[in-house]
Every structure is written in structure tokens, then in C-alpha cells.
């Protein structure tokens, strides 16, 4: 299966490297040419002249870009080279509606599309340990499984195109609520003068526990928030969730309160810290009271 | 160590049974005499005439009552029998300030006090698998460890009197935030027509996961909320958290929004369901929009 890759960023480059290791990678393209040239020099993989050139040479193309507009611009550039037999797998996090628009755009050229956003961060990308949530036709999903398995530890088809993105959005909403819960609880514990490391130890085994509590409450204990999952990126994802909820005429309380908190954190220069930095705001609730 | 038990309710009765099995239980007392008589008939354990009578006969008394006022009333009734050498362990969930008041009341008679709220529910009480968060003097804690170990799988001393309750309150705040997060995310997933059981499976291994997601999102999938942890009980605990936060002049957002939701659930007749029933309100957010 001749595979191409577009978008050699922090996530994309290690994902492309894993495709290369699996013997699947035929060529790459990147909007900033220097990254593609460096990747080509490192791996010996051909750098395509354009997305359309890449499409003509491949059976599968994986895209991993920053935002909804980037994805559609990339696919418009790719379309002239697309033909029946080509499948595009988009691993970006975008709105479900954007994924459906992408699928239409490719269907007009007879090509297939899967939305396949990932979770697991840069660490998961490097270790081929991503969790992949896909949307698309079952036959398309089955056909490209070797490509997905070269990048992730688990790939699940969640339904038609858009359902991968909706599943990722569900996860991002849950993360927002949990970091609020953990931040507020830890700020309370600190105000009550509890030994915070012992609190994490004692409650980490219980029914109130979560991945974020066990792995990120220690950041709050130390007052240091190395990314991790940057505020700026979760903020972008939550704005997608907000837009998706707005299509149901709903404003989601957890999403809205977290976006408001993130704006304050970004304004204060904490946008590149891990999202557990939300503890700063919760802690200040108590600090401001003079308690 | 001659141990007495006061408060043979849904939690207390199985906890007292485990003390009896460990050969520690000397006598019991209960406000409603019929429960004490039944327990005595079942186990052969003596029923004390009063809390003071129980105190005169025991080295340790475990209390497990419903609310702050009940605890102080019980200890006032017990005080005439209290003397140096007696340690009272309170396993109720009350405010940290109430625990400190209880300790003063007993200190006036030369007796020791530990606050030792538990988590793990009725199931944990039955299986001696409770997590116990204690506050008090280290020597008192060490001395009564055999009693704590007969009731729980883990007991941690979190600091002076009140710190057990503050740790429990931290856990209840976290549970409130997580059930909000899981409820909102699952309602979004349903509105997006995702296959909900597959969502739980796909996201349950990831960084957005939690004990509540893995164990209670399936209740949301089925639309059935067997207790569990009843709304009414978590509501009571969160009101303690609210009062504790108010002493710092703080209103905690997650606590306040969850209390508002619980009031709506109780008013609608769902107060005895598991707290995952909060999904009803989140789901209705989307339903009400006609989406």
C-alpha cells in the first residue's frame, strides 16, 4: 500500500516516521517546504512537488494539519491528483461537519475519505501508541488498517464520516470537565492545608479518581506544568466542540467555563503550559479571599 | 481492644459485623433500639443501655451517623461515660469543624478522637474494603489501627483532627466535577448519534478516562441508574463541602452547579438513583433544543 503523508508537524513527523519504519511511506509533502526536505534527507523518502503530485503516486494519503481551513485547502490542492482507488485518512482534529465536507470534496473525484483523529499526544505519536477514532465506510477502514496500525495501538471505527471527530470531541469535553474537577478539588485541599501528595496517594485508588488526577495532580502539587497537553491546543479543540454543540443550539456548561478559564490563562502567558495549569485559577479563588 | 459501635445503618451495620468477625466487638448502641436489638440477636453482641454505658465498657467506640447534629448529640450522650483511655473514631461524613468540635468535647473528659470518614459505599462496608481517611494524633491512629483494618482495606492519617473530613470533602468535590464531565460528554455523544457503548470502550483506556466513566457511563448508555451512590447522599456531602468552602469566603463552581442539578433531580423524584442520573439533565439540554 503506497502511502503519502501531508503535515510533518509535532504530531505528523513522528507518525510519518512510523509509517516509514513499517515500509509503507512512499512520499511526503508539507506546506513549509523546509520540513519536508529535512524529513526526506533524514529518511530517504521522496518529497512530492505538490499535494496533487503526491495523490497521483499513492494509494493512501494521511493528513495531519492544524485547523479546519488548512484541511480543506490541502484537499483542494490534492483533488486534481485524486482518483478512484485513493483513500485519504485525516488525523487532524476538526469539526465533524468539516470531515463531511472533506469527504464530499474527494467523493467528487471518486476517492474515499476517513476521519481519524487521534489521542495520545506527541509521546503516543512517537511510540506508535495513539488511540485512533475513525469515521467512514467499513470497507475503506478495513483496507487501510495496516496504515492505522503502523501509527496507533488501537483503531476503532465509530460509524460514518464525522463520527471519528465526534468521538474525539466527546473525549475533549470530558478532559475539560475532569481538569476542572481535579483543579477545584486540589485547590480546596490546599486551602484546607492538607498534605497534597498524600491526598493524591489516598484518593488515587478510589471512585473519584481519573487519569488526570493520578497523572496531573502531581503537577499541581509541584506548581510546575510542563506540556503535556498545551492549553492553546485544548482551547482550539474546545472551540470545535462549542461549534458542534451550537449546531444543536446548545451551549455546554463545562466547555464554556473551561474556554473562559483558558482565555484567562492564555492572556496571562500560560497558553503553552499543560492544561493542569488551570489549578492557578482555582488556587487564586482561595488566595483572593485572603483565607 | 474492647470496641463499641454506634449507628447500625446501611453502612454501620456491615462495618460492625466486620468488627465482630475480627473478635473486637464488645457492645453496640443505636438511636432506634430495634436495630440494635436485631443486631444483638444476630451476633450475640451485648446491646448497651446508652452511649455512656457503652463508653464505660469500651476502649474504642466507632460512630457512624447521618449528620453533624447527630454526631454531636451522640457524643454529648456518650460524654458522661468517657474517660482517659477511651478513643472515639467517627466514620460519619461531617464538616471538618464539626470533627474539631467533637474532639474538644471528648478532650474535656480526657478521651481521644479521630475523624475517619470512609469511601467505598455499602459494598466496601460489607467486604471490609473501605478506604479510610483519618485525622488525629499519630499515637491515637496507631493504637486503633487493628479496628480500622477490620473495616477497611486502606487507612491513611492525613494530619490533625479534621483532615480526614477535609480529604473526604476533596474526594466528593472531585466526584461532582467528574460526573458533570462524563454526563455532558455522553449527552454530546448521544446528540451526535455515536454508538455509546463503543464510545465507552474507545475512550475508557485514554487520558480522558476516570473510574466514573468506565463504571457509570454504562448506566447512561442503558438509561438505568441503580444506586450506587445516591444523589441524596452526595447532595448532603456537597452541602458540607459548600459550608467548608464558605469558611474561606469561596463558592466552588463545580459544587454549586452540581448542587443546583441535584436539587432539580431530587424535585423530579430521582434522589434515590445513582449520581450518574445527572445524564438526564445533560441529555435534556439537547432534547429541549429539538435537535
Amino acid at each position: 500500500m503506497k502511502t503519502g503523508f501531508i503535515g510533518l508537524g509535532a504530531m505528523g513527523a513522528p507518525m510519518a516516521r512510523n509509517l516509514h519504519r513499517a515500509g509503507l511511506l512512499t512520499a511526503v509533502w508539507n506546506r513549509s517546504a523546509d520540513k519536508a526536505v529535512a524529513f526526506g534527507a533524514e529518511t530517504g523518502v521522496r518529497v512530492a512537488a505538490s499535494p496533487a503530485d503526491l495523490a497521483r503516486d499513492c494509494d493512501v494519503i494521511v493528513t495531519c494539519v492544524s485547523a479546519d481551513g488548512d484541511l480543506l485547502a490541502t484537499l483542494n490542492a490534492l483533488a486534481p491528483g485524486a482518483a478512484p482507488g485513493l483513500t485519504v485518512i485525516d488525523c487532524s482534529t476538526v469539526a465533524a461537519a468539516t470531515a463531511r465536507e472533506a469527504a464530499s470534496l474527494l467523493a467528487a473525484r471518486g476517492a474515499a475519505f476517513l476521519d481519524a483523529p487521534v489521542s495520545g499526544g506527541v509521546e503516543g505519536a512517537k511510540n506508535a501508541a495513539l488511540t485512533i477514532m475513525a469515521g467512514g465506510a467499513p470497507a475503506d477502514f478495513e483496507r487501510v488498517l495496516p496504515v492505522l496500525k503502523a501509527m496507533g495501538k488501537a483503531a476503532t471505527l465509530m460509524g460514518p464520516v464525522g463520527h471519528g471527530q465526534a468521538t474525539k470531541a466527546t473525549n475533549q469535553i470530558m478532559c475539560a470537565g475532569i481538569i476542572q474537577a481535579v483543579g477545584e478539588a486540589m485547590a480546596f485541599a490546599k486551602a484546607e492545608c492538607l498534605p497534597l501528595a498524600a491526598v493524591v496517594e489516598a484518593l488515587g485508588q478510589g471512585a473519584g479518581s481519573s487519569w488526570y488526577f493520578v497523572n496531573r495532580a502531581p503537577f499541581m502539587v509541584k506548581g510546575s506544568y510542563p506540556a503535556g497537553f498545551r492549553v492553546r491546543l485544548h482551547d482550539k479543540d474546545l472551540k470545535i466542540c462549542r461549534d458542534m454543540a451550537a449546531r444543536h443550539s446548545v451551549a455546554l456548561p463545562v466547555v464554556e467555563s473551561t474556554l473562559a478559564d483558558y482565555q484567562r490563562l492564555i492572556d496571562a502567558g500560560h497558553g503553552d503550559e499543560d492544561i493542569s495549569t488551570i489549578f492557578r485559577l482555582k488556587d487564586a479563588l482561595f488566595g483572593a479571599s485572603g483565607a
Side-chain angles (χ1 to χ4, degrees), chain A:
Chain A
M1 202 165 333
K2 293 177 74 179
T3 305
F5 203 100
I6 294 178
L8 299 164
M11 292 291 290
M15 290 164 73
R17 262 182 218 109
N18 284 323
L19 289 173
H20 179 55
R21 277 188 204 111
L24 294 166
L25 196 63
T26 297
V28 298
W29 186 82
N30 194 73
R31 193 168 50 180
S32 312
D34 54 340
K35 280 191 187 167
V37 170
F39 188 90
E42 172 198 328
T43 58
V45 170
R46 183 172 86 83
V47 176
S50 69
D53 171 37
L54 190 68
R56 283 185 201 101
D57 197 19
C58 292
D59 307 307
V60 176
I61 292 178
V62 179
T63 55
C64 190
V65 300
S66 293
D68 298 53
D70 300 328
L71 175 64
L72 296 174
T74 299
L75 295 186
N76 273 314
L78 179 154
L86 175 71
T87 305
V88 174
I89 305 170
D90 178 44
C91 294
S92 320
T93 294
V94 298
T98 303
R100 287 188 287 267
E101 199 175 335
S104 296
L105 198 154
L106 288 162
R109 308 282 306 182
F113 178 83
L114 291 161
D115 55 315
V118 301
S119 77
V122 171
E123 208 62 22
K126 280 182 183 158
N127 303 330
L130 296 169
T131 298
I132 304 175
M133 299 147 270
D140 295 337
F141 177 76
E142 294 295 334
R143 193 173 57 251
V144 303
L145 262 179
V147 172
L148 299 176
K149 284 186 172 165
M151 301 187 295
K153 66 175 176 184
T156 311
L157 183 65
M158 302 303 299
V161 168
H163 275 205
Q165 296 297 349
T167 304
K168 175 81 189 271
T170 300
N171 189 64
Q172 303 310 74
I173 293 168
M174 205 148 58
C175 289
I178 287 170
I179 207 70
Q180 289 278 0
V182 173
E184 189 164 314
M186 287 293 284
F188 173 86
K190 186 180 165 195
E192 290 285 320
C193 302
L194 292 175
L196 297 184
V199 168
V200 177
E201 182 72 23
L203 303 186
Q205 304 299 318
S209 194
S210 58
W211 187 94
Y212 265 97
F213 181 63
V214 171
N215 292 281
R216 294 297 181 253
F219 287 10
M220 301 177 188
V221 176
K222 285 185 204 156
S224 161
Y225 311 95
F229 186 22
R230 289 170 203 273
V231 167
R232 226 178 272 288
L233 292 177
H234 197 206
D235 181 73
K236 171 205 151 243
D237 290 357
L238 288 181
K239 282 172 178 156
I240 292 171
C241 298
R242 168 193 272 169
D243 292 346
M244 289 178 71
R247 288 173 170 257
H248 301 277
S249 309
V250 170
L252 291 170
V254 163
V255 170
E256 292 305 319
S257 62
T258 306
L259 279 171
D261 284 348
Y262 283 176
Q263 192 56 55
R264 292 175 60 200
L265 288 165
I266 290 167
D267 290 347
H270 303 301
D272 290 316
E273 293 180 348
D274 182 75
I275 60 173
S276 51
T277 190
I278 203 167
F279 178 72
R280 292 177 188 277
L281 303 180
K282 307 303 173 189
D283 189 32
L285 278 179
F286 288 94
S289 75

